[in-house]
Amino acid sequence: MGMIGGSLDAFIGAVHRRGAALDGEVELVCGAFSSNPEKSKATGEALYLPANRVYGSFEEMILKEKELPEGERMDFVTIVTPNHVHFAAAKMALENGFHVVSDKPATLNTEEVYLLRDIIEKSGLIYCLTHNYCAYPMVKEAKQMIKNGVIGKVRKVIVEYPQGWLSQLLEATGQKQAGWRTDPARCGAAGGVGDIGTHAENLAEYITGLKITEICADLTIFVEGRQLDDDANMLLRFDNGAKGILHNSQICNGEENDLNIRIYGEFGGLKWKQMDPNTLILTNQEKGSRIIRTGVGDLSPQAQAHTRQPAGHPEGYIETFASIYRNFSYALRARWGEVAKENAAGGLAGESEILTGGYNPEIHDFPGIEEGIRGMVFIDTVVKSNEAGAVWTKVEEH
C-alpha cells in the first residue's frame, strides 16, 4: 500500500493504517503524506519507511513507484486526503495501473464522480470506498435478515448521525479537521451532509437493499460565521414504497458519534447503534424483542466472516476498516489468480474455505464506485431540495 495524505497531524490516515495492518494482508511501503514535503518526510520517518519511498507529492509517488520492478512497487494507493484531492489522486493512480482505496465521499462533486466511474471501467482495476460502518458484523447480520424476509417488506427507516464537536466555530481556531470540513473549496457543496450524512444514507441503503428515490431536506447553519450546513433534517422515500427519516447534525452538544438505525417491516423491526455495535435488536409486536449478539448463535456467514474475537470481547471502529481492507486484499489476490491457484492445489472448496480465507464476493463485499455515486447524488439532491425551500426532489443518477 502507498498512502496519499495521512500525515502525523491528520485523523483518518492513522485509522486507515491501523485497520489495513490488522489482518496481516497489507503492508504500508510508501507514502506522500502531505502536500508539504517536509511534513511528508517527517511522517515517513515516524512510520519507519525508507527515505527513498517517502515522496513530496502524490504525482511523484505514482510515477516513481511505477518505475520500480513488479513485486517491489506498491500494489495500490489509499487516499486519505480532504475531499478536493480524491478525484485527481484516484485518476492518476488508475491511469498508471494502480488499484485504489479511497476515503469517502468519492469526489468533491457529482461531475467528478461520473468521470471517475468511466476511468475505473476503462482501467479494469479495483476501486474501494471506505464506508466502514457497513463492515460491522451486526450490520452484515441485519442485511441478511432483511434479505431473507425475517421482518417482511420494509415500511419505515429511521437513521440518524448526531455529533456535537462543531457546536462552536472551531474552524476559526485553526483546528485542521474543522477547517477543511467547513470549507466549500475542500469539502464540497455540503458540510455535515457530506461528512456524516452520507454515512447514514449508505447504511440505510446497504442494510435494507433499497434505494432512496426522493428527498425533502431542510439544512441549517446554526453556528454564526460557518459556510456549510451543520444540521440536516430529511424525509425519505424508497423504491419499494417505504418512508424514512434521516437526520445528521454536528451541533448536538455533547453527542459523540451516535450513528444508529431503526428499520420496521411487516413482521418485525431491527435496531442497531454504532456505539454499541455488537448488539442487534429484533423487535416483534407479538413476541417481544430478541437480542442478537456478535459471535453468539447461528449467525449468517457474512456476520461470521467479519467477527474476529470470541463473544463478549468488544470489536469496533478499527476492525471495520480492517474488514474492508481485508476484503479488498482478497479481491486483489483473487484478481492475480493466487487464491484460485491455492484452492486448486489444495482441493479446497465450500463454506469452510470461504470463512478461512478464500474470496467470495457475496461474503467479502466492500463499497465501490456505485456507492460513491449514490453518495454524491445524495448530496446534490439534498442541497437542491433545501435551496428550493425543502421540497420533494427526485434522486436522479445518469
Side-chain angles (χ1 to χ4, degrees), residues 220-292:
T220 306
I221 300 174
F222 275 107
V223 176
E224 188 175 349
R226 181 161 290 155
Q227 298 183 74
L228 293 172
D229 56 282
D230 50 28
D231 184 80
N233 300 278
M234 308 167 210
L235 298 177
L236 310 175
R237 290 173 178 163
F238 291 86
D239 57 1
N240 77 329
K243 301 298 177 67
I245 299 169
L246 187 156
H247 109 75
N248 65 263
S249 182
Q250 294 177 312
I251 51 86
C252 290
N253 209 305
E255 292 287 356
E256 300 170 31
N257 282 277
D258 194 16
L259 173 63
N260 64 86
I261 189 166
R262 287 164 281 165
I263 303 166
Y264 301 102
E266 298 169 286
F267 312 130
L270 291 167
K271 299 180 182 180
W272 180 80
K273 292 172 67 73
Q274 196 268 154
M275 290 176 64
D276 183 17
N278 282 13
T279 300
L280 176 67
I281 299 175
L282 173 64
T283 63
N284 182 276
Q285 198 67 30
E286 288 75 37
K287 298 178 182 178
S289 296
R290 173 190 163 204
I291 295 175
I292 304 168

Side-chain angles (χ1 to χ4, degrees), residues 20-61:
L22 194 60
D23 290 309
E25 290 287 338
V26 177
E27 177 188 4
L28 177 69
V29 296
C30 63
F33 301 104
S34 172
S35 56
N36 180 326
E38 290 304 311
K39 189 180 288 188
S40 181
K41 179 181 177 182
T43 302
E45 289 175 352
L47 296 173
Y48 308 108
L49 291 177
N52 66 338
R53 301 295 291 277
V54 181
Y55 303 98
S57 68
F58 73 79
E59 294 92 344
E60 180 191 15
M61 183 179 82

Side-chain angles (χ1 to χ4, degrees), residues 95-110:
E95 290 179 343
N96 283 275
F98 295 106
H99 305 272
V100 171
V101 174
S102 177
D103 208 36
K104 44 63 57 192
T107 56
L108 185 68
N109 55 53
T110 306

Side-chain angles (χ1 to χ4, degrees), residues 117-387:
R117 179 184 63 185
D118 294 341
I119 293 166
I120 294 166
E121 290 177 353
K122 183 178 180 181
S123 74
L125 299 173
I126 302 173
Y127 175 88
C128 170
L129 191 68
T130 55
H131 269 298
N132 64 294
Y133 298 109
C134 69
Y136 278 106
M138 288 297 94
V139 169
K140 301 290 187 187
E141 185 69 10
K143 180 179 180 66
Q144 293 307 307
M145 291 176 75
I146 290 176
K147 185 177 180 179
N148 293 331
V150 173
I151 67 169
K153 182 181 177 181
V154 173
R155 293 171 169 171
K156 184 151 185 105
V157 180
I158 303 168
V159 59
E160 58 179 357
Y161 198 151
Q163 296 176 332
W165 73 290
L166 288 177
S167 294
Q168 307 300 325
L169 196 65
L170 193 59
E171 56 267 39
T173 69
Q175 209 267 15
K176 181 178 178 179
Q177 300 304 318
W180 76 259
R181 283 177 168 83
T182 57
D183 177 8
R186 291 180 287 171
C187 185
V193 168
D195 189 18
I196 58 175
T198 50
H199 275 309
E201 166 265 328
N202 175 258
L203 190 69
E205 293 197 336
Y206 180 77
I207 294 178
T208 63
L210 304 174
K211 286 192 173 183
I212 300 166
T213 58
E214 291 184 87
I215 302 173
C216 178
D218 179 25
L219 305 185
T220 306
I221 300 174
F222 275 107
V223 176
E224 188 175 349
R226 181 161 290 155
Q227 298 183 74
L228 293 172
D229 56 282
D230 50 28
D231 184 80
N233 300 278
M234 308 167 210
L235 298 177
L236 310 175
R237 290 173 178 163
F238 291 86
D239 57 1
N240 77 329
K243 301 298 177 67
I245 299 169
L246 187 156
H247 109 75
N248 65 263
S249 182
Q250 294 177 312
I251 51 86
C252 290
N253 209 305
E255 292 287 356
E256 300 170 31
N257 282 277
D258 194 16
L259 173 63
N260 64 86
I261 189 166
R262 287 164 281 165
I263 303 166
Y264 301 102
E266 298 169 286
F267 312 130
L270 291 167
K271 299 180 182 180
W272 180 80
K273 292 172 67 73
Q274 196 268 154
M275 290 176 64
D276 183 17
N278 282 13
T279 300
L280 176 67
I281 299 175
L282 173 64
T283 63
N284 182 276
Q285 198 67 30
E286 288 75 37
K287 298 178 182 178
S289 296
R290 173 190 163 204
I291 295 175
I292 304 168
R293 293 279 293 169
T294 299
V296 178
D298 186 21
L299 301 177
S300 65
Q302 285 80 0
Q304 292 181 49
H306 293 81
T307 301
R308 289 177 172 76
Q309 305 298 332
H313 293 271
E315 296 189 58
Y317 188 67
I318 297 294
E319 285 85 349
T320 63
F321 282 88
S323 288
I324 286 179
Y325 273 99
R326 182 202 62 186
N327 294 355
F328 171 81
S329 70
Y330 282 2
L332 188 51
R333 287 200 290 118
R335 177 68 63 89
W336 294 334
E338 292 181 12
V339 170
K341 291 176 184 177
E342 290 170 4
N343 288 351
L348 300 173
E351 185 175 285
S352 62
E353 169 60 7
I354 289 169
L355 298 180
T356 56
Y359 174 59
N360 182 327
E362 294 298 316
I363 290 179
H364 302 112
D365 63 320
F366 53 87
I369 191 59
E370 290 307 317
E371 287 80 4
I373 290 170
R374 292 297 296 172
M376 296 311 302
V377 172
F378 169 77
I379 292 169
D380 269 7
T381 308
V382 169
V383 171
K384 288 177 184 176
S385 172
N386 178 72
E387 289 178 346

